Amino acid sequence: MAPSDLRRPYKRPQLSDQQRRRELSLKRQEQSRDAELHARRLASTLLSLPPEQQPSESEPEPEPEPGSSSDYDLRDASKLKGPEARKWFAKQLMLPEWMIDVPHRLPHDWYVLPRPAGKRCFVVSSDGTTISRQRNGTILHRFPSALPHGSRNRDGSGPPSYSILDCIFHEMDQTYYVIDMVCWKSYSYYNCTAEFRFSWLESKLAETKARDPPSYYHKYRFSLVPWYDCDLSGLHKAYTGEVPFVKDGLLFYNRHAHYQPGNTPLALVWKDEYCSQYVIDTDNKGQVPSHQQVVLELQDDGKVTTSDDPPVVFSCLNLEFIQQSGLESGCLLRFAIGDGGLTIVDGKLERADLHYLGKSNRARAFADTYSKIMFQNMVRGSPLRIDDLVASISSSVDGASIPDVEMICG
Amino acid sequence: MALEVTQVLLNAQAIDGTVRKQAEESLKQFQEQDLPLFLLSLSRELANEEKPVESRKLAGLILKNALDAKEQHRKSDLVQRWLALDPSAKSQIKVCLLQTLSSLVAEARSTTSQVIAKVAGIELPQKQWPELIGSLLSNIHQLPPHVKQATLETLGYLCEEVSPEVVDQDQVNKILTAVVQGMNASEGSNEVRLAATRALYNALGFAQANFSNDMERDYIMRVVCEATLSPELKIRLAAFECLVAISSTYYDKLAPYIQDIFNITAKAVREDQEPVALQAIEFWSSVCDEEIDILEEYGGDFTGDSDIPCFYFIKQALPALVPMLLETLLKQEEDQDQDEGAWNIAMAGGTGLCLVARTVGDDIVPLVMPFIEENITKPEWRQREAATYAFGSILEGPSADKLTPIVNVALTFMLSALTKDPNNHVKDTTAWTLGRIFEFLHGSTVDAPIITPANCQQIITVLLQSMKDVPNVAEKACGALYFLAQGYEDVGSSSPLAPFFQEIVQSLITVTHRADAGESRLRTAAYEALNEVVRCSTEETASMVLQLVPVIMIELHKTLEGQGLASDERERQSELQGLLCGCLQVIIQKLGSSEPTKYVFVQYADQIMGLFLRVFACRSATVHEEAMLAIGALAYATGPEFAKYMPEFYKYLEMGLQNFEEYQICAVTVGVVGDIARALEDKILPYCDGIMTQLLRDLSSNQLHRSVKPPIFSCFGDIALAIGENFEKYLIYAMPMLQSAAEMSARTAGADDEMTDYTNSLRNGILEAYSGIFQGFKNSPKTQLLISYAPHILQFLDSIYMGKDMDDVVMKTAIGVLGDLADTLGSHAGSLIQQSLSSREFLNECLSSEDLLIKESAEWAKLAISRAISV
């Protein structure tokens, strides 16, 4: 019957620093464990998914898309395989958002790199072979490479391992340009900062002969993309510098950001006519349509949304119209933005003048992201110019606070 | 024999060591030779009115210790031993015990009460001794006061030992009736009234049904409130203790009484003796605890998730409660800041005020501000201190919008008081208040910064100056610096502290060298501040953090020089080593997280590891927890290079895993095994037999604290990932353990919140083990070894889903295991997976989860399953 001890902590913090150290250790261990499992799962899938036919761009009548993910049923699993795999894969790559306003502290917190034109893909090497898969899950190449365990040639001196690189395949010189590293010899870089990953990348690649010219056991050359601190000189070099590849805009990486699968504002892409041939989206025939076109996903309730998480709602379709047109939720639909344009209030989309064009091409796994639509919209009106980037860097260096870039769209 | 027992028991308390030892030895022999007779002899000794008090008391104590122990496994051994004892011996012992309750010797009665309660604690859950409560309560009205007192005391102890479920409501009613009647003002004996009041304290947990009945509750509450007015101090104290217990156990039943209780407590706080006044304040602190918990569960959006609604007692009492607490602040003791054990009415009132502020938020500010303004400049130090404390106490709870303007005005005053006030007590509280300002109103989440380029320099100068003040003031200044640094945690690549970094570090190191740094926890506070400054530092100061490495290494080296220390010195040495290893851990983690600094840092790795090994060598049987934590960070930073330390380090790793008593050390070591597995990968293989043996032994031990078991399972996963199919030979041991733990988690779920939390952490550990094993075996020809375990694992997943009490982490891990199973077993498990509930409803639920991590795991599982069943 001991009376309760009354004493409460007095003028002392609740949590001891020792407890804090224990908890931080546990957190580090938990993160490392999660990162490793994540990497293994990705590698496992990259390696074992059966090769698929490249979906044809001109297929006339798309198969009905599967129902929304919440009514997933095993009986449909084999049918789902294609699009589901594509959706899954696309979420594994770190997908930069489009730059629609200039981040603060560019010179302090960001790297800039010229983006090679080509196909974004994961390259995984393991067990004597190398496989590259595009964002939609289709295999681009299966080949021997000088990456660790990337060909049968290696005598396998080290323990079995897998390595995963984030690359862009540049057709013209048949080269994989490595833009990021996810795993190297089974060591996961997921929860490492961009700074850490980038600085390791060069020395890791140098351990192998991956940057050598092609040979029998090394079918494609791997190259690095130069990266710079995003100060005036870095931006200048990335924007105007000579590179061995065709440039398609610039990539910006926040140096403190971990490798985060899916869309992230901590990596950004920006382009203008000077550094890219593909600034404004073209249609199937390579023509710039007179009105901006967007691809949105139809939801259960008739709303059409972007692929962001959470999705941004652009409009809502009439249920009668949906029935008449035989549309199902989950369908990707193509719209043109009419003369009414996009109405933005307080930085939020309030109304969009959408005109329905039809279902989207079957090769598409995703609706557009909000940042892409806004970037394309700005490109057609008042684009974010290189001068704006330069001005932002200059004022950031001066220490002045940067006004948000005013966006007047439509 | 019986005669002899008395003498032996007396000898066992002899001053002469040899006599004592001999007596202890013969008691031990007696016990080993004939346990039933031994216990019976003791109970007869206890019951015999002719024996000396000393031998009777010791007999009772030995009986008590034969029935219960602190250590869990010893306790269960004793329980089993008693249950297996000869029934006739047991019943004779019980007769003796009940008889002793009527003894005229108070000590004999009191010891016996406790022994009876211990026997009841063992037997009642087994449905044995059913007549006990009845026989205690029979004729209670006719008993002479001393027997009544002993009976009530026994009932009180009994309620403490036995859980409410094992006593019928009928018997509970009888116990409560006897207890409450004993408390009644009409009871003539103070001893009886006191025993009854103390018994009620323990019986409250049994009174759920009675508190739900208005009439019975009114009666109990009336009697308790009356007892708070007893002329007898001990009775008032016990009655207030009951009120405090009622405030947390029956918070939702307080409404009709709260006004009366306020009057009673206010009178006690102002007029009664300190022990009673402290309980009266505690009542309100305890109500605050309840309301803070409830409001936290509301989560601000009032979805009413909490089972118990908030009655806002504190908010309603506020206009009277705050002045009452403010008055107590003026009753400080002269040297309370130097006395670690101090606890007085001013401290209790101040702590209560902090809790009230957290409970009501903004509403408290206008009630406290006039008190602060009136007193803060008074010549009497008590008034200045009380005003400062009042200010510090309202900094957590109210909104930043409300506080920032006030703090902006007060900051300059506080900085000046910290340097100029003549009173140490005032300075101590001022430094603490500054720390609270930085803790709650400074940081990236606060919109209007309190610390600006204009005042940053001054703040730091004042704090560093204060670190030279007397130890208790310097300690609080270190604490303030800790939170100042913490506020810049997410500052990006450039910190406003960077220009002062060198100076701050230098000052903190100087503090650790002060001759009086052992007082008031000063040295610890200085190292803690240093740790936080390092943690929150930016790359501009990375080179200075690097320079700190040899400095701390030298300090650690110095602690290793003293040989053959006396035990108190050894304790001090060990404490200092802990602080230094903790500091190194923080530095290693900091430098290891950025590539350029890590590269430079690893040059020190050999030397640091050498020091850690020597720290371990300072002790014989245990490992140093802080050194172990630091080694985990080192393994993470060095990666595969860590292999070279393994031959020497391994024995300490094993020692840590064997430390059942200090389970924190065991838990930390288990975590370090994970770090090492990830760092070494298959190079850990030579050590795995030893590590796995020890981990399996830990799991099967009933001595080890249960909280270590989940991380051990996770560690299986880490090892399996590291060594892949080489895990094969451990499967036959690990899998059954995982399976039985999984079954246990299905049984224990849902008992109470704490058990649910534990069950979830256990599930998470088990699931992480499965994920690690499946992914480790992936692509191995030995995959088929896992097929036979698949049905059980899928059942486990289904049972988790059906349980409906998993948390988000378990959900994520569980659905990930489904994916890993499908991924590794492929078509072999296709039909099994299709039959499982998890692959349908559970998966769908995860796919539509709003938690990104769950969704991501679910998408992986969906993909892996679709492949497994389509092949």
Side-chain angles (χ1 to χ4, degrees), chain B residues 761-783:
Chain B
S761 77
L762 187 65
R763 286 169 173 163
N764 193 52
I766 297 167
L767 293 165
E768 285 184 333
Y770 285 142
S771 269
I773 291 168
F774 279 123
Q775 284 300 329
F777 273 76
K778 172 81 187 169
N779 295 330
S780 151
K782 293 177 182 163
T783 304

PDB file of all heavy atoms in Angstrom, chain B residues 761-783:
ATOM      1  N   SER B 761       4.387  -4.539 -31.720  1.00  0.00           N
ATOM      2  CA  SER B 761       5.839  -4.517 -31.945  1.00  0.00           C
ATOM      3  C   SER B 761       6.355  -5.941 -32.129  1.00  0.00           C
ATOM      4  O   SER B 761       7.275  -6.181 -32.915  1.00  0.00           O
ATOM      5  CB  SER B 761       6.559  -3.773 -30.821  1.00  0.00           C
ATOM      6  OG  SER B 761       6.642  -4.576 -29.678  1.00  0.00           O
ATOM      7  N   LEU B 762       5.733  -6.890 -31.443  1.00  0.00           N
ATOM      8  CA  LEU B 762       6.118  -8.294 -31.622  1.00  0.00           C
ATOM      9  C   LEU B 762       5.795  -8.752 -33.048  1.00  0.00           C
ATOM     10  O   LEU B 762       6.618  -9.357 -33.735  1.00  0.00           O
ATOM     11  CB  LEU B 762       5.365  -9.165 -30.607  1.00  0.00           C
ATOM     12  CG  LEU B 762       5.766 -10.627 -30.532  1.00  0.00           C
ATOM     13  CD1 LEU B 762       7.203 -10.768 -30.040  1.00  0.00           C
ATOM     14  CD2 LEU B 762       4.843 -11.393 -29.570  1.00  0.00           C
ATOM     15  N   ARG B 763       4.596  -8.430 -33.488  1.00  0.00           N
ATOM     16  CA  ARG B 763       4.230  -8.794 -34.867  1.00  0.00           C
ATOM     17  C   ARG B 763       5.208  -8.200 -35.872  1.00  0.00           C
ATOM     18  O   ARG B 763       5.639  -8.856 -36.803  1.00  0.00           O
ATOM     19  CB  ARG B 763       2.840  -8.238 -35.183  1.00  0.00           C
ATOM     20  CG  ARG B 763       1.708  -8.976 -34.527  1.00  0.00           C
ATOM     21  CD  ARG B 763       0.448  -8.164 -34.715  1.00  0.00           C
ATOM     22  NE  ARG B 763      -0.726  -8.870 -34.249  1.00  0.00           N
ATOM     23  CZ  ARG B 763      -1.889  -8.269 -33.998  1.00  0.00           C
ATOM     24  NH1 ARG B 763      -1.997  -6.959 -34.169  1.00  0.00           N
ATOM     25  NH2 ARG B 763      -2.919  -8.957 -33.592  1.00  0.00           N
ATOM     26  N   ASN B 764       5.540  -6.929 -35.646  1.00  0.00           N
ATOM     27  CA  ASN B 764       6.439  -6.274 -36.580  1.00  0.00           C
ATOM     28  C   ASN B 764       7.786  -6.986 -36.636  1.00  0.00           C
ATOM     29  O   ASN B 764       8.332  -7.206 -37.717  1.00  0.00           O
ATOM     30  CB  ASN B 764       6.614  -4.805 -36.189  1.00  0.00           C
ATOM     31  CG  ASN B 764       7.267  -4.011 -37.271  1.00  0.00           C
ATOM     32  OD1 ASN B 764       6.815  -4.045 -38.416  1.00  0.00           O
ATOM     33  ND2 ASN B 764       8.354  -3.343 -36.956  1.00  0.00           N
ATOM     34  N   GLY B 765       8.299  -7.376 -35.461  1.00  0.00           N
ATOM     35  CA  GLY B 765       9.566  -8.101 -35.428  1.00  0.00           C
ATOM     36  C   GLY B 765       9.466  -9.417 -36.184  1.00  0.00           C
ATOM     37  O   GLY B 765      10.335  -9.753 -36.999  1.00  0.00           O
ATOM     38  N   ILE B 766       8.411 -10.163 -35.931  1.00  0.00           N
ATOM     39  CA  ILE B 766       8.226 -11.457 -36.595  1.00  0.00           C
ATOM     40  C   ILE B 766       8.157 -11.256 -38.112  1.00  0.00           C
ATOM     41  O   ILE B 766       8.792 -11.971 -38.887  1.00  0.00           O
ATOM     42  CB  ILE B 766       6.924 -12.129 -36.100  1.00  0.00           C
ATOM     43  CG1 ILE B 766       7.012 -12.419 -34.595  1.00  0.00           C
ATOM     44  CG2 ILE B 766       6.639 -13.397 -36.885  1.00  0.00           C
ATOM     45  CD1 ILE B 766       5.669 -12.780 -33.959  1.00  0.00           C
ATOM     46  N   LEU B 767       7.405 -10.252 -38.506  1.00  0.00           N
ATOM     47  CA  LEU B 767       7.223 -10.006 -39.946  1.00  0.00           C
ATOM     48  C   LEU B 767       8.528  -9.576 -40.604  1.00  0.00           C
ATOM     49  O   LEU B 767       8.851  -9.999 -41.715  1.00  0.00           O
ATOM     50  CB  LEU B 767       6.145  -8.935 -40.146  1.00  0.00           C
ATOM     51  CG  LEU B 767       4.735  -9.367 -39.734  1.00  0.00           C
ATOM     52  CD1 LEU B 767       3.808  -8.156 -39.621  1.00  0.00           C
ATOM     53  CD2 LEU B 767       4.164 -10.381 -40.727  1.00  0.00           C
ATOM     54  N   GLU B 768       9.299  -8.755 -39.877  1.00  0.00           N
ATOM     55  CA  GLU B 768      10.585  -8.346 -40.445  1.00  0.00           C
ATOM     56  C   GLU B 768      11.509  -9.557 -40.602  1.00  0.00           C
ATOM     57  O   GLU B 768      12.281  -9.640 -41.556  1.00  0.00           O
ATOM     58  CB  GLU B 768      11.234  -7.259 -39.591  1.00  0.00           C
ATOM     59  CG  GLU B 768      10.552  -5.929 -39.801  1.00  0.00           C
ATOM     60  CD  GLU B 768      11.190  -4.769 -39.051  1.00  0.00           C
ATOM     61  OE1 GLU B 768      11.827  -4.981 -38.000  1.00  0.00           O
ATOM     62  OE2 GLU B 768      11.035  -3.642 -39.517  1.00  0.00           O
ATOM     63  N   ALA B 769      11.406 -10.490 -39.660  1.00  0.00           N
ATOM     64  CA  ALA B 769      12.189 -11.717 -39.791  1.00  0.00           C
ATOM     65  C   ALA B 769      11.772 -12.466 -41.058  1.00  0.00           C
ATOM     66  O   ALA B 769      12.615 -12.879 -41.864  1.00  0.00           O
ATOM     67  CB  ALA B 769      11.995 -12.600 -38.564  1.00  0.00           C
ATOM     68  N   TYR B 770      10.475 -12.617 -41.258  1.00  0.00           N
ATOM     69  CA  TYR B 770      10.003 -13.338 -42.451  1.00  0.00           C
ATOM     70  C   TYR B 770      10.454 -12.636 -43.740  1.00  0.00           C
ATOM     71  O   TYR B 770      10.922 -13.269 -44.676  1.00  0.00           O
ATOM     72  CB  TYR B 770       8.470 -13.455 -42.430  1.00  0.00           C
ATOM     73  CG  TYR B 770       7.937 -14.475 -41.442  1.00  0.00           C
ATOM     74  CD1 TYR B 770       6.776 -14.239 -40.717  1.00  0.00           C
ATOM     75  CD2 TYR B 770       8.593 -15.691 -41.240  1.00  0.00           C
ATOM     76  CE1 TYR B 770       6.274 -15.177 -39.810  1.00  0.00           C
ATOM     77  CE2 TYR B 770       8.100 -16.628 -40.337  1.00  0.00           C
ATOM     78  CZ  TYR B 770       6.950 -16.367 -39.619  1.00  0.00           C
ATOM     79  OH  TYR B 770       6.466 -17.293 -38.740  1.00  0.00           O
ATOM     80  N   SER B 771      10.313 -11.326 -43.770  1.00  0.00           N
ATOM     81  CA  SER B 771      10.732 -10.595 -44.975  1.00  0.00           C
ATOM     82  C   SER B 771      12.207 -10.827 -45.255  1.00  0.00           C
ATOM     83  O   SER B 771      12.601 -11.092 -46.395  1.00  0.00           O
ATOM     84  CB  SER B 771      10.482  -9.091 -44.809  1.00  0.00           C
ATOM     85  OG  SER B 771       9.218  -8.753 -45.279  1.00  0.00           O
ATOM     86  N   GLY B 772      13.020 -10.710 -44.193  1.00  0.00           N
ATOM     87  CA  GLY B 772      14.456 -10.894 -44.364  1.00  0.00           C
ATOM     88  C   GLY B 772      14.772 -12.293 -44.865  1.00  0.00           C
ATOM     89  O   GLY B 772      15.607 -12.479 -45.751  1.00  0.00           O
ATOM     90  N   ILE B 773      14.096 -13.283 -44.304  1.00  0.00           N
ATOM     91  CA  ILE B 773      14.379 -14.665 -44.697  1.00  0.00           C
ATOM     92  C   ILE B 773      13.952 -14.900 -46.154  1.00  0.00           C
ATOM     93  O   ILE B 773      14.713 -15.438 -46.960  1.00  0.00           O
ATOM     94  CB  ILE B 773      13.679 -15.652 -43.728  1.00  0.00           C
ATOM     95  CG1 ILE B 773      14.348 -15.569 -42.345  1.00  0.00           C
ATOM     96  CG2 ILE B 773      13.756 -17.077 -44.268  1.00  0.00           C
ATOM     97  CD1 ILE B 773      13.596 -16.274 -41.226  1.00  0.00           C
ATOM     98  N   PHE B 774      12.763 -14.462 -46.495  1.00  0.00           N
ATOM     99  CA  PHE B 774      12.320 -14.662 -47.887  1.00  0.00           C
ATOM    100  C   PHE B 774      13.243 -13.941 -48.864  1.00  0.00           C
ATOM    101  O   PHE B 774      13.692 -14.512 -49.854  1.00  0.00           O
ATOM    102  CB  PHE B 774      10.880 -14.174 -48.079  1.00  0.00           C
ATOM    103  CG  PHE B 774       9.850 -15.165 -47.615  1.00  0.00           C
ATOM    104  CD1 PHE B 774       8.913 -14.826 -46.657  1.00  0.00           C
ATOM    105  CD2 PHE B 774       9.816 -16.446 -48.152  1.00  0.00           C
ATOM    106  CE1 PHE B 774       7.969 -15.743 -46.218  1.00  0.00           C
ATOM    107  CE2 PHE B 774       8.880 -17.375 -47.724  1.00  0.00           C
ATOM    108  CZ  PHE B 774       7.948 -17.021 -46.745  1.00  0.00           C
ATOM    109  N   GLN B 775      13.537 -12.686 -48.585  1.00  0.00           N
ATOM    110  CA  GLN B 775      14.388 -11.948 -49.516  1.00  0.00           C
ATOM    111  C   GLN B 775      15.809 -12.513 -49.513  1.00  0.00           C
ATOM    112  O   GLN B 775      16.472 -12.512 -50.532  1.00  0.00           O
ATOM    113  CB  GLN B 775      14.392 -10.457 -49.185  1.00  0.00           C
ATOM    114  CG  GLN B 775      13.128  -9.725 -49.626  1.00  0.00           C
ATOM    115  CD  GLN B 775      12.897  -9.815 -51.126  1.00  0.00           C
ATOM    116  OE1 GLN B 775      13.837  -9.892 -51.921  1.00  0.00           O
ATOM    117  NE2 GLN B 775      11.633  -9.821 -51.525  1.00  0.00           N
ATOM    118  N   GLY B 776      16.260 -12.992 -48.365  1.00  0.00           N
ATOM    119  CA  GLY B 776      17.591 -13.581 -48.306  1.00  0.00           C
ATOM    120  C   GLY B 776      17.689 -14.851 -49.157  1.00  0.00           C
ATOM    121  O   GLY B 776      18.721 -15.120 -49.770  1.00  0.00           O
ATOM    122  N   PHE B 777      16.615 -15.631 -49.202  1.00  0.00           N
ATOM    123  CA  PHE B 777      16.621 -16.887 -49.969  1.00  0.00           C
ATOM    124  C   PHE B 777      16.264 -16.698 -51.428  1.00  0.00           C
ATOM    125  O   PHE B 777      16.317 -17.656 -52.210  1.00  0.00           O
ATOM    126  CB  PHE B 777      15.641 -17.891 -49.346  1.00  0.00           C
ATOM    127  CG  PHE B 777      16.247 -18.715 -48.245  1.00  0.00           C
ATOM    128  CD1 PHE B 777      16.464 -18.171 -47.000  1.00  0.00           C
ATOM    129  CD2 PHE B 777      16.618 -20.038 -48.458  1.00  0.00           C
ATOM    130  CE1 PHE B 777      17.025 -18.924 -45.978  1.00  0.00           C
ATOM    131  CE2 PHE B 777      17.188 -20.800 -47.448  1.00  0.00           C
ATOM    132  CZ  PHE B 777      17.395 -20.233 -46.199  1.00  0.00           C
ATOM    133  N   LYS B 778      15.873 -15.501 -51.766  1.00  0.00           N
ATOM    134  CA  LYS B 778      15.431 -15.241 -53.140  1.00  0.00           C
ATOM    135  C   LYS B 778      16.500 -15.710 -54.128  1.00  0.00           C
ATOM    136  O   LYS B 778      17.680 -15.461 -53.931  1.00  0.00           O
ATOM    137  CB  LYS B 778      15.187 -13.734 -53.278  1.00  0.00           C
ATOM    138  CG  LYS B 778      14.913 -13.261 -54.663  1.00  0.00           C
ATOM    139  CD  LYS B 778      13.473 -13.495 -55.048  1.00  0.00           C
ATOM    140  CE  LYS B 778      13.314 -13.146 -56.517  1.00  0.00           C
ATOM    141  NZ  LYS B 778      12.076 -13.548 -57.095  1.00  0.00           N
ATOM    142  N   ASN B 779      16.060 -16.382 -55.188  1.00  0.00           N
ATOM    143  CA  ASN B 779      16.956 -16.865 -56.240  1.00  0.00           C
ATOM    144  C   ASN B 779      17.903 -17.965 -55.785  1.00  0.00           C
ATOM    145  O   ASN B 779      18.839 -18.308 -56.495  1.00  0.00           O
ATOM    146  CB  ASN B 779      17.800 -15.738 -56.848  1.00  0.00           C
ATOM    147  CG  ASN B 779      16.923 -14.739 -57.559  1.00  0.00           C
ATOM    148  OD1 ASN B 779      15.859 -15.111 -58.081  1.00  0.00           O
ATOM    149  ND2 ASN B 779      17.337 -13.498 -57.588  1.00  0.00           N
ATOM    150  N   SER B 780      17.688 -18.488 -54.582  1.00  0.00           N
ATOM    151  CA  SER B 780      18.542 -19.581 -54.157  1.00  0.00           C
ATOM    152  C   SER B 780      17.875 -20.898 -54.542  1.00  0.00           C
ATOM    153  O   SER B 780      16.647 -20.988 -54.549  1.00  0.00           O
ATOM    154  CB  SER B 780      18.717 -19.517 -52.638  1.00  0.00           C
ATOM    155  OG  SER B 780      18.940 -20.807 -52.131  1.00  0.00           O
ATOM    156  N   PRO B 781      18.681 -21.917 -54.857  1.00  0.00           N
ATOM    157  CA  PRO B 781      18.067 -23.211 -55.141  1.00  0.00           C
ATOM    158  C   PRO B 781      17.395 -23.813 -53.896  1.00  0.00           C
ATOM    159  O   PRO B 781      16.625 -24.747 -53.997  1.00  0.00           O
ATOM    160  CB  PRO B 781      19.247 -24.079 -55.594  1.00  0.00           C
ATOM    161  CG  PRO B 781      20.476 -23.350 -55.203  1.00  0.00           C
ATOM    162  CD  PRO B 781      20.130 -21.909 -55.068  1.00  0.00           C
ATOM    163  N   LYS B 782      17.694 -23.240 -52.745  1.00  0.00           N
ATOM    164  CA  LYS B 782      17.135 -23.817 -51.517  1.00  0.00           C
ATOM    165  C   LYS B 782      15.788 -23.208 -51.129  1.00  0.00           C
ATOM    166  O   LYS B 782      15.279 -23.443 -50.023  1.00  0.00           O
ATOM    167  CB  LYS B 782      18.126 -23.626 -50.369  1.00  0.00           C
ATOM    168  CG  LYS B 782      19.382 -24.437 -50.582  1.00  0.00           C
ATOM    169  CD  LYS B 782      20.387 -24.185 -49.498  1.00  0.00           C
ATOM    170  CE  LYS B 782      21.665 -24.982 -49.752  1.00  0.00           C
ATOM    171  NZ  LYS B 782      22.773 -24.459 -48.968  1.00  0.00           N
ATOM    172  N   THR B 783      15.254 -22.417 -52.030  1.00  0.00           N
ATOM    173  CA  THR B 783      13.979 -21.761 -51.740  1.00  0.00           C
ATOM    174  C   THR B 783      12.905 -22.731 -51.257  1.00  0.00           C
ATOM    175  O   THR B 783      12.081 -22.401 -50.408  1.00  0.00           O
ATOM    176  CB  THR B 783      13.475 -21.071 -53.014  1.00  0.00           C
ATOM    177  OG1 THR B 783      14.486 -20.190 -53.437  1.00  0.00           O
ATOM    178  CG2 THR B 783      12.211 -20.287 -52.761  1.00  0.00           C
TER     179      THR B 783
END
